[in-house]
Amino acid sequence: MRTFNIPNSSFIVFGVGVVALLPILFGEPLSINALITLLAYLSFGFVCVCLGSHLVHMLGAEKLLTTLSWFALGSGFLVIFLALINSLSGGLLGVQLLVGIGDMSAQSGLSHRFVYALTFATIALLYLYAKRKLTITFFFVLLVSLLSMHVFVGGANVWIYPLTIALLAIAMQVAAISSELDQPVLEV
């Protein structure tokens, strides 16, 4: 029987909590709602760090990352499905069903969450392609649909996310090529 160990990296969450509570020492007012929210986020962070460490220990980092990438890709296509429902219904269904009619701040927040889900899905797609889990044609079809969906669900600064992903992919490719050139060639 294996025991569940608390990893040393989980103490970073407690350090962040101490830093977040420093304004109380200097006499800054802190509402009870802010304190409860902070404690909830720190508790969730602690559980995520412990669970992540346990899963890496049990499954291995690569298998865990591959599994999470498939789920992130699935969430991206759920966003595409919801955006298509919203556009085909003329805005009557989709987002309104999730947040309520007339709540513009909630719709804006949901739009940003959709953009984050699409961004994570695009990064997961790049990872899965790099690990040779997808063919090149399937990769490009999925990539075009994920990047084009940013336009439909995003806000004013939506172009930043695909641009950042593209720059990251270019930088990783340049690093891979330069490390390949630095290795000595073995002659037979």
Side-chain angles (χ1 to χ4, degrees), residues 113-178:
R113 286 187 200 96
F114 279 176
V115 170
Y116 297 148
L118 287 172
T119 303
F120 286 134
T122 307
I123 292 169
L125 181 69
L126 291 171
Y127 175 77
L128 290 171
Y129 177 70
K131 288 295 180 180
R132 301 192 197 303
K133 305 282 185 192
L134 302 170
T135 63
I136 187 77
T137 55
F138 196 56
F139 168 73
F140 277 118
V141 167
L142 296 177
L143 185 66
V144 167
S145 46
L146 283 172
L147 290 179
S148 63
M149 218 21 83
H150 277 281
V151 174
F152 293 110
V153 299
N157 59 357
V158 72
W159 58 271
I160 291 174
Y161 298 106
L163 180 66
T164 305
I165 292 171
L167 291 176
L168 177 65
I170 291 169
M172 290 172 63
Q173 185 66 28
V174 167
I177 290 172
S178 66

